[in-house]
Amino acid sequence: MNIGLLGFGTVGTGVYEIINKRKDFFRSLIGKDLNINKVLVKDTTKDRNINISKDKLIDNPYFILDDPNIDIVIEAIGGTAEAYAYIKHALTTGKHVITANKAVVAKHMKELMDLANKNKKAFLYEASVGGGVPIIKPLKQQVTLNDIEEIKSILNGTSNFILSKMIREDLEFTDALHIAQELGYAEADPTDDIEGYDVRRKLAILSTIAFKREVKEEYIHCRGIRTIKSVDTKVIKELGYTVKLLAKASFKSNKYYLSVEPSLLPDDSFYAKVENANNLISIIGNDIGELKFYGQGAGKFPTANAVVSDVLDILYNNYQNYGIDEGTYKLCNNTDLVKDRYYVRLSPKHTLSDYVLKVVKEEKIADKIIKTGDHIIFTTGNIELKKINSFINNVKESIKDEFYAAIQ
Amino acid sequence: MNIGLLGFGTVGTGVYEIINKRKDFFRSLIGKDLNINKVLVKDTTKDRNINISKDKLIDNPYFILDDPNIDIVIEAIGGTAEAYAYIKHALTTGKHVITANKAVVAKHMKELMDLANKNKKAFLYEASVGGGVPIIKPLKQQVTLNDIEEIKSILNGTSNFILSKMIREDLEFTDALHIAQELGYAEADPTDDIEGYDVRRKLAILSTIAFKREVKEEYIHCRGIRTIKSVDTKVIKELGYTVKLLAKASFKSNKYYLSVEPSLLPDDSFYAKVENANNLISIIGNDIGELKFYGQGAGKFPTANAVVSDVLDILYNNYQNYGIDEGTYKLCNNTDLVKDRYYVRLSPKHTLSDYVLKVVKEEKIADKIIKTGDHIIFTTGNIELKKINSFINNVKESIKDEFYAAIQ
């Protein structure tokens, strides 16, 4: 069994180190050494702080993808276009493929699984959702015996770090973001994390498995956390809640509800205890009830551990490729199905405070007004997401900004 | 693929119903029907509220155990001696065996696994720990790539229900126990649950897998919850804690620490949120970090779901039997290794309160005395379990009863 490793960054080196560390175990399992024969890097001459012979390092991916001696390709370069092309090439030439690349999996899951199934090879992606938390495989297993009714998850370390920091230290969003960037929790361009796009990819993957339909990212209603202010977190705390970027999916009467949005969770809930880069994934099945999975959603060794667990499944010949139903995915009107209570802050433009408050009262949208003046803060009764969205849209011209979040 | 089902109680009927409900799935998986051919019951003539043809019901287990057409035996009769004999017989005659019987697994795990390995059959027991929570298989998977350093779990619904009830409603132990019995959470003889024996069996199973050594029940230090009083739960709440019966195992410098004992958990911890019959299992691996698994630790369909997931693993040919290391299990002096702070209540015999308080002060065991008089309540600094045990033993003659719990 020979492995070709595409990429030698954090995850790639982690995979290399774990496989080396467990050398004896793999030898006893397959009767010979498990080799990482070739590693794709950008610069083969660069000095690396890792014990690897330089002749393993290559800078042409096709030395791996077209090498008949390579059985398993591990894609750890990230990005989308190239990673997708390499994965497809590897599966086409009859190799097993493992990836941690959620963007590629979310976008091309069905096509790549079909290709793997056709060639009777594995296409595995345990590390693409939840980092070190084993969730893809347990979910595939539960799906065979359960109708999955609901998924509710915290899946993004960056936004969770920022929100934890804001809540604990009464910081403004931009300050918390800067700290996250300094500590390496957020990238220079944090868009994917704070706008919810990263979570949306992960929810697309989980929902596709859970509901046995191809759930595309664009089916998922997505709102990020960029407009939250310390005035929000203060009120949220006073109300006995915390705030999280929550991924939610439910399937009822053949209709789907899929959303990523800021959500208020009671202070004494499991969700409220999930700090920093940890992830929590809850699934509800009709027979099994609620299961929760918790662990490190990112980090070198947790993520690499998930990748190597996929290697193990290939060695054990234990990789039933989950086949997505051929039935067309029925796109529901997302915002029709589920009603939530909402926390809403509207910050009116100069001199418009009285006017905005009047609209709030006339529209009868608030069930409790908490604050008026520069920031009008209220909670609603149970209301459809499309109604709250359309209300916000109607007052948009009169306000500087707003923040709203579903109350769970 | 034919199944023989031993026992048709809660779990047995659950298994029968789930397999029937998923008939189409199993047919598409194995290309023919998955049949439960025979079911062992005590009374074949009894009317049952379930759709099964009477000729499937038998009252002689050997009609299943010696039937060459039966491939998989599911043991769901409970008890120990008979269940053990049937499982052994089935494995010896080359059948796969699935059981939810923690008592048998805890006691005979190594022997039964060796037997299964010898005959290249499966011996699976996912439902024996954590009910519906998938933990046995995920733990086996993590163990291959991680050195497991710690297990910390809530594994018993009965004791957890009683403690939750006492904390929430300021009840005395016996009153909470009666309510548990009336609601079916506790059996007429609740000894196994409230003395921690049930948890000890589950911890023996988890530790055997996690540490790759045969961990016997008798190696595990075990104290139950019978002596807890409402005076304890009141003080515990004031201190910002809740109380749980906690199973703990750790492995450091080739030494083991294994205990089941009442433990104080901070009000804002995950553990404190585990109510009633739910279970929480936390494991820490050297690479993966901490993983937590949560779900229903009992109940007909969750438990049956776990049993049927074992059936699936057999159908998928996906049942690597975990081989326990041949090395002798090194019994550590359990109480040597780990130090905890303790919460201690001593209730002195009539007129001995001053004397007991004097001993507490002389022995310098308390770092903070919370209450004196009829109940002397104090917390300790970090102290070895054997020291606290021996202190309690020394004052035994002077007290009516006592309750003590590790502060986590």
Side-chain angles (χ1 to χ4, degrees):
Chain A
M1 272 290 174
N2 296 317
I3 295 174
L5 182 57
L6 305 174
F8 213 39
T10 308
V11 176
T13 53
V15 168
Y16 187 84
E17 288 171 41
I18 290 179
I19 288 179
N20 267 350
K21 204 156 52 174
R22 302 282 160 181
K23 202 182 280 194
D24 295 344
F25 164 71
F26 284 111
R27 195 183 296 129
S28 77
L29 181 66
I30 59 174
K32 52 188 173 181
D33 283 339
L34 179 68
N35 292 316
I36 297 187
N37 292 33
K38 292 175 186 170
V39 180
L40 176 70
V41 295
K42 279 186 194 138
D43 178 358
T44 57
T45 62
K46 185 175 140 186
D47 268 333
R48 284 161 205 280
N49 194 14
I50 189 168
N51 180 23
I52 185 168
S53 87
K54 286 232 161 164
D55 59 0
K56 287 191 168 185
L57 303 177
I58 55 162
D59 55 10
N60 181 340
Y62 294 94
F63 290 174
I64 287 175
L65 300 174
D66 289 332
D67 181 344
N69 291 318
I70 300 263
D71 307 287
I72 301 172
V73 171
I74 297 175
E75 184 275 307
I77 55 170
T80 47
E82 287 187 335
Y84 166 63
Y86 299 165
I87 290 172
K88 203 170 160 178
H89 191 107
L91 286 172
T92 308
T93 55
K95 301 185 192 313
H96 301 291
V97 173
I98 296 166
T99 181
N101 193 321
K102 52 198 167 272
V104 171
V105 179
K107 209 163 177 183
H108 306 285
M109 195 167 170
K110 182 164 166 31
E111 181 198 2
L112 296 174
M113 274 197 302
D114 286 349
L115 197 52
N117 284 339
K118 208 181 100 194
N119 291 324
K120 297 195 166 40
K121 297 292 165 187
F123 173 58
L124 299 174
Y125 43 89
E126 180 59 68
S128 69
V129 181
V133 187
I135 184 60
I136 298 292
K137 200 170 161 186
L139 180 58
K140 284 181 180 175
Q141 288 165 343
Q142 293 306 328
V143 159
T144 53
L145 300 179
N146 280 269
D147 303 327
I148 305 297
E149 296 166 353
E150 189 185 286
I151 300 172
K152 215 180 250 189
S153 301
I154 295 172
L155 290 169
N156 181 269
T158 308
S159 60
N160 204 51
F161 176 89
I162 292 170
L163 293 173
S164 301
K165 201 85 188 159
M166 287 181 73
I167 279 273
R168 265 200 312 264
E169 300 173 26
D170 287 331
L171 298 179
E172 288 300 340
F173 177 80
T174 43
D175 299 325
L177 172 60
H178 283 147
I179 295 171
Q181 285 170 323
E182 272 165 25
L183 294 175
Y185 278 108
E187 293 173 51
D189 176 2
T191 310
D192 275 7
D193 292 320
I194 65 180
E195 295 295 0
Y197 305 147
D198 170 82
V199 178
R200 185 166 61 172
R201 287 181 197 121
K202 293 167 179 168
L203 186 63
I205 297 170
L206 292 180
S207 307
T208 297
I209 298 170
F211 305 136
K212 304 186 192 176
R213 290 287 186 282
E214 201 178 0
V215 176
K216 297 276 193 194
E217 287 165 74
E218 52 268 34
Y219 299 159
I220 301 174
H221 172 77
C222 182
R223 277 193 311 121
I225 59 168
R226 204 188 275 273
T227 65
I228 189 170
K229 286 188 156 65
S230 72
V231 62
D232 297 309
T233 54
K234 271 176 214 149
V235 173
I236 288 167
K237 272 193 284 189
E238 281 163 22
L239 293 172
Y241 287 89
T242 192
V243 59
K244 302 283 180 190
L245 182 59
L246 204 65
K248 291 172 280 187
S250 61
F251 181 41
K252 278 172 202 157
S253 351
N254 221 19
K255 283 197 167 186
Y256 303 80
Y257 176 81
L258 305 156
S259 78
V260 174
E261 64 176 336
S263 301
L264 268 53
L265 284 312
D267 254 351
D268 64 352
S269 66
F270 270 97
Y271 295 95
K273 309 301 163 210
V274 180
E275 299 268 338
N276 301 334
N278 288 306
N279 282 188
L280 178 70
I281 299 132
S282 156
I283 59 175
I284 298 180
N286 67 322
D287 274 336
I288 195 72
E290 182 172 20
L291 295 177
K292 290 199 181 89
F293 301 83
Y294 170 93
Q296 293 180 33
K300 177 176 177 173
F301 287 112
T303 309
N305 187 81
V307 170
V308 181
S309 78
D310 282 343
V311 174
L312 258 180
D313 280 338
I314 292 172
L315 299 180
Y316 278 125
N317 208 23
N318 171 3
Y319 51 86
Q320 295 75 40
N321 268 320
Y322 165 80
I324 296 170
D325 274 19
E326 292 305 316
T328 324
Y329 172 73
K330 286 173 200 74
L331 180 60
C332 67
N333 187 339
N334 244 333
T335 53
D336 270 356
L337 195 61
V338 173
K339 292 179 172 186
D340 276 310
R341 293 178 59 224
Y342 273 84
Y343 163 95
V344 184
R345 172 184 50 82
L346 307 172
S347 299
K349 286 179 180 164
H350 190 55
T351 74
L352 290 183
S353 187
D354 289 349
Y355 167 72
V356 172
L357 187 60
K358 205 176 116 239
V359 177
V360 169
K361 284 179 177 168
E362 276 172 8
E363 299 270 335
K364 294 190 171 60
I365 189 127
D367 84 335
K368 195 182 162 199
I369 294 177
I370 296 164
K371 223 175 164 52
T372 57
D374 288 348
H375 304 292
I376 298 171
I377 295 181
F378 58 89
T379 55
T380 73
N382 268 322
I383 184 172
E384 287 166 12
L385 179 53
K386 72 171 176 188
K387 283 206 180 142
I388 187 87
N389 282 338
S390 106
F391 170 81
I392 299 284
N393 215 36
N394 288 345
V395 294
K396 207 93 195 177
E397 302 257 293
S398 314
I399 58 175
K400 283 184 293 194
D401 67 1
E402 82 289 336
F403 174 75
Y404 57 115
I407 302 175
Q408 298 295 300
Chain B
M1 272 292 174
N2 295 317
I3 295 174
L5 182 56
L6 305 174
F8 213 40
T10 308
V11 176
T13 52
V15 168
Y16 187 84
E17 288 172 39
I18 289 180
I19 288 179
N20 267 351
K21 203 156 54 175
R22 302 282 160 182
K23 202 183 279 193
D24 294 345
F25 164 72
F26 284 111
R27 194 183 296 128
S28 76
L29 181 68
I30 59 175
K32 51 185 173 184
D33 283 340
L34 179 68
N35 292 315
I36 296 186
N37 292 36
K38 293 177 186 169
V39 180
L40 176 69
V41 295
K42 279 186 195 139
D43 178 359
T44 56
T45 61
K46 184 175 143 186
D47 267 333
R48 286 162 204 278
N49 192 14
I50 190 168
N51 179 23
I52 185 168
S53 87
K54 286 232 162 164
D55 58 1
K56 287 191 170 187
L57 303 177
I58 55 162
D59 55 9
N60 181 341
Y62 294 94
F63 290 173
I64 287 175
L65 299 173
D66 289 332
D67 181 344
N69 292 320
I70 301 262
D71 307 288
I72 300 172
V73 170
I74 297 175
E75 184 275 306
I77 53 169
T80 48
E82 287 187 336
Y84 166 64
Y86 299 164
I87 290 172
K88 203 170 160 180
H89 191 106
L91 285 171
T92 308
T93 55
K95 301 186 192 311
H96 300 293
V97 173
I98 296 166
T99 180
N101 193 321
K102 52 200 167 272
V104 171
V105 179
K107 207 161 178 185
H108 304 285
M109 195 168 170
K110 182 166 168 23
E111 182 198 2
L112 296 174
M113 275 198 298
D114 287 348
L115 196 52
N117 284 337
K118 209 183 99 193
N119 290 327
K120 297 198 167 39
K121 297 292 164 188
F123 172 58
L124 299 174
Y125 43 89
E126 181 59 67
S128 68
V129 181
V133 187
I135 184 58
I136 297 292
K137 200 168 161 188
L139 181 59
K140 283 181 181 175
Q141 287 165 343
Q142 292 307 329
V143 159
T144 54
L145 299 178
N146 280 270
D147 302 327
I148 306 297
E149 295 164 354
E150 190 185 285
I151 301 170
K152 215 180 249 187
S153 302
I154 295 171
L155 290 168
N156 181 270
T158 308
S159 61
N160 205 50
F161 177 88
I162 291 171
L163 292 173
S164 301
K165 203 86 188 158
M166 287 182 71
I167 280 273
R168 266 200 312 263
E169 299 173 25
D170 289 330
L171 297 179
E172 288 300 339
F173 176 81
T174 42
D175 298 326
L177 172 60
H178 282 146
I179 296 171
Q181 284 170 323
E182 271 165 25
L183 294 175
Y185 278 109
E187 294 173 50
D189 175 3
T191 310
D192 275 6
D193 292 319
I194 66 179
E195 295 296 0
Y197 305 147
D198 171 82
V199 178
R200 185 165 63 171
R201 286 180 198 121
K202 293 168 179 168
L203 186 63
I205 297 170
L206 292 180
S207 308
T208 296
I209 298 169
F211 305 136
K212 304 185 192 177
R213 292 285 187 282
E214 201 179 0
V215 176
K216 296 277 193 191
E217 288 167 73
E218 51 269 34
Y219 300 159
I220 300 173
H221 172 78
C222 182
R223 277 195 308 124
I225 59 168
R226 203 187 276 270
T227 65
I228 189 168
K229 286 188 153 67
S230 72
V231 60
D232 295 311
T233 54
K234 272 177 213 151
V235 172
I236 288 167
K237 271 194 281 187
E238 282 163 21
L239 292 171
Y241 287 89
T242 191
V243 59
K244 300 283 180 190
L245 182 59
L246 204 66
K248 291 173 281 186
S250 62
F251 181 42
K252 279 172 201 156
S253 352
N254 223 18
K255 283 196 168 186
Y256 303 80
Y257 176 81
L258 305 156
S259 78
V260 174
E261 63 176 337
S263 301
L264 268 54
L265 285 312
D267 254 350
D268 65 352
S269 65
F270 271 96
Y271 295 95
K273 309 299 162 211
V274 181
E275 299 267 339
N276 301 337
N278 289 306
N279 282 188
L280 179 70
I281 298 132
S282 157
I283 60 173
I284 298 181
N286 66 323
D287 276 335
I288 195 73
E290 183 172 19
L291 296 176
K292 290 198 180 89
F293 302 83
Y294 169 92
Q296 293 179 32
K300 177 177 177 173
F301 287 112
T303 308
N305 186 80
V307 170
V308 182
S309 78
D310 283 343
V311 174
L312 259 180
D313 280 338
I314 292 172
L315 299 179
Y316 277 126
N317 206 23
N318 173 2
Y319 53 86
Q320 295 74 40
N321 268 319
Y322 165 80
I324 295 169
D325 275 19
E326 292 303 316
T328 323
Y329 174 72
K330 287 175 199 73
L331 179 60
C332 67
N333 188 338
N334 244 331
T335 54
D336 270 355
L337 198 60
V338 172
K339 290 179 173 187
D340 275 311
R341 293 177 60 226
Y342 273 83
Y343 163 95
V344 184
R345 174 185 48 84
L346 307 172
S347 299
K349 286 180 179 163
H350 190 56
T351 75
L352 289 183
S353 187
D354 290 348
Y355 168 73
V356 172
L357 186 60
K358 206 177 116 234
V359 177
V360 169
K361 285 179 176 168
E362 276 172 6
E363 299 269 335
K364 294 189 169 62
I365 190 128
D367 83 336
K368 195 181 162 199
I369 293 176
I370 295 164
K371 222 176 165 51
T372 58
D374 287 349
H375 305 292
I376 298 171
I377 296 182
F378 58 89
T379 55
T380 73
N382 268 319
I383 185 172
E384 289 167 10
L385 178 55
K386 73 171 175 188
K387 283 205 181 143
I388 189 86
N389 282 339
S390 104
F391 170 81
I392 299 285
N393 216 35
N394 288 345
V395 294
K396 207 94 193 176
E397 301 259 292
S398 313
I399 58 178
K400 282 183 291 193
D401 69 359
E402 82 289 336
F403 174 75
Y404 57 115
I407 303 175
Q408 298 294 300

